[in-house]
Amino acid sequence: MEENKLKLTVCMCTRNRDLRMLPSIKSILDQSFTQFEFLIINDASTDNTEKVLTQCAEQDPRIKVFNLGTHNFITARNMMFINSNSEYVAIMDSDDLCSPNKLEEQVKFLDEHPDIDVVGCKIKFGKKSSHFSVPNTQKNYTHEYFDECIKRGENISMLIQFATIMIRKSALDRIFKNKIYFYPEMQNGGEDTIFLYALYLNGAKFANINTATYLYNYLEYDDSISGTVGKHFDENNFIFKYIHNKPINDRLTKVQELYDKYENYKRNKGGS
């Protein structure tokens, strides 16, 4: 690690959450691991979110706020990684919570396993999302187990959840050389799963720990992503058509190719 380079950046995107996002912010600020910067992208909120975030940043210098002038979820997502300048990057949603040791446990794991690029953690779902089940996140596993599961056809989102991950910035820089991590056609959903596949298909190694917990959608807001998931594009057909049903050597690997194919698939609603 470069001298004086920050160890960790925590990234959050939010829109029109004002005071409701405070428990999520506090969940990060109260972590046992404290040496991080906290980037919060305000996606052109029309309520008091900007004012609340300004006050938060005044109270804790680790918080850095970026305010978008025009609502664009994908732009907000890209800004998270573009503005991260630390060794590791972690994700946090503004309607979620996490155990106080989450950052510490994931930093420790990546420090001790330099061959691993992405580490997830155990996930628990709020009542609104109680129909979801990701039993693999309850396990400690290495990339060998992860790779075996993918090769036998398991969906990557059944192995690791985007919201739980901590990732090496060097892996992002290596794989996304153009610094475009999410594409416009991902605006209506599926962006997190396709992003994880882009990492995996380009050589990133994954692992999971069960010594820390991410509490997904625990704040039970009506505008939570899981509450509107029925309106989002179901990426599963794309995944099985272009990834799992292909021989390993014929699978999409280049990020541009993968994203272009996904963009075309959505535009033509499944056409080739």
Side-chain angles (χ1 to χ4, degrees):
M1 184 177 67
E2 296 176 13
E3 187 176 359
N4 298 324
K5 187 175 183 179
L6 197 63
K7 189 70 166 180
L8 174 66
T9 299
V10 182
C11 298
M12 174 188 286
C13 292
T14 191
R15 175 173 166 81
N16 291 341
R17 286 275 166 81
D18 50 60
L19 296 176
R20 296 178 298 161
M21 64 188 167
L22 291 180
S24 298
I25 293 174
K26 187 174 187 298
S27 185
I28 292 299
L29 297 180
D30 289 347
Q31 289 286 302
S32 56
F33 183 85
T34 60
Q35 302 303 307
F36 60 83
E37 64 175 355
F38 191 4
L39 304 186
I40 305 180
I41 314 299
N42 172 25
D43 186 11
S45 296
T46 57
D47 60 2
N48 289 322
T49 293
E50 182 175 349
K51 179 180 179 181
V52 172
L53 288 176
T54 299
Q55 293 172 342
C56 289
E58 290 173 349
Q59 295 169 6
D60 194 312
R62 292 177 295 180
I63 296 176
K64 297 180 180 179
V65 180
F66 293 83
N67 295 299
L68 293 185
T70 303
H71 170 44
N72 190 305
F73 176 68
I74 293 303
T75 297
R77 285 282 212 197
N78 281 320
M79 283 187 67
M80 293 192 311
F81 294 137
I82 289 172
N83 290 284
S84 300
N85 297 303
S86 57
E87 184 178 3
Y88 306 143
V89 183
I91 307 299
M92 182 68 184
D93 286 345
S94 62
D95 58 351
D96 298 340
L97 304 171
C98 53
S99 60
N101 68 333
K102 177 185 181 291
L103 300 183
E104 181 178 10
E105 291 293 323
Q106 290 183 307
V107 166
K108 179 182 177 183
F109 182 90
L110 290 177
D111 281 349
E112 294 176 351
H113 299 82
D115 58 316
I116 297 296
D117 298 298
V118 185
V119 61
C121 70
K122 182 166 58 177
I123 189 168
K124 290 184 178 180
F125 294 96
K127 292 180 180 178
K128 182 178 291 187
S129 305
S130 60
H131 55 289
F132 293 133
S133 177
V134 190
N136 277 301
T137 70
Q138 310 302 309
K139 306 173 184 177
N140 286 316
Y141 64 70
T142 63
H143 183 72
E144 288 72 22
Y145 174 81
F146 184 92
D147 191 46
E148 178 184 316
C149 290
I150 296 292
K151 287 178 178 177
R152 66 170 178 248
E154 289 194 40
N155 189 306
I156 202 167
S157 61
M158 292 294 99
L159 294 165
I160 196 167
Q161 288 283 297
F162 175 80
T164 73
I165 66 169
M166 184 176 291
I167 182 171
R168 293 184 191 276
K169 185 61 161 54
S170 59
L172 292 173
D173 293 341
R174 182 179 74 247
I175 294 171
F176 299 93
K177 293 182 173 61
N178 62 356
K179 297 189 182 302
I180 300 177
Y181 310 96
F182 305 96
Y183 276 44
E185 287 295 321
M186 298 176 173
Q187 185 76 29
N188 293 319
E191 82 291 337
D192 49 0
T193 301
I194 301 301
F195 170 81
L196 292 174
Y197 272 108
L199 289 171
Y200 169 75
L201 293 170
N202 284 274
K205 293 189 175 182
F206 289 70
N208 195 75
I209 58 174
N210 65 4
T211 52
T213 305
Y214 190 91
L215 306 173
Y216 183 80
N217 198 19
Y218 255 62
L219 300 180
E220 304 280 317
Y221 297 145
D222 290 337
D223 57 352
S224 297
I225 292 296
S226 58
T228 58
V229 70
K231 300 177 182 178
H232 289 177
F233 175 79
D234 182 1
E235 74 276 6
N236 287 336
N237 289 335
F238 171 84
I239 290 167
F240 283 101
K241 182 174 182 179
Y242 290 105
I243 299 176
H244 289 302
N245 282 348
K246 295 278 188 181
I248 292 174
N249 292 336
D250 293 337
R251 291 177 178 176
L252 299 172
T253 54
K254 294 181 180 179
V255 172
Q256 184 72 49
E257 181 185 7
L258 177 67
Y259 281 11
D260 285 350
K261 183 70 72 172
Y262 183 61
E263 180 178 358
N264 182 69
Y265 186 88
K266 290 189 70 174
R267 183 180 294 120
N268 294 288
K269 297 182 179 179
S272 59

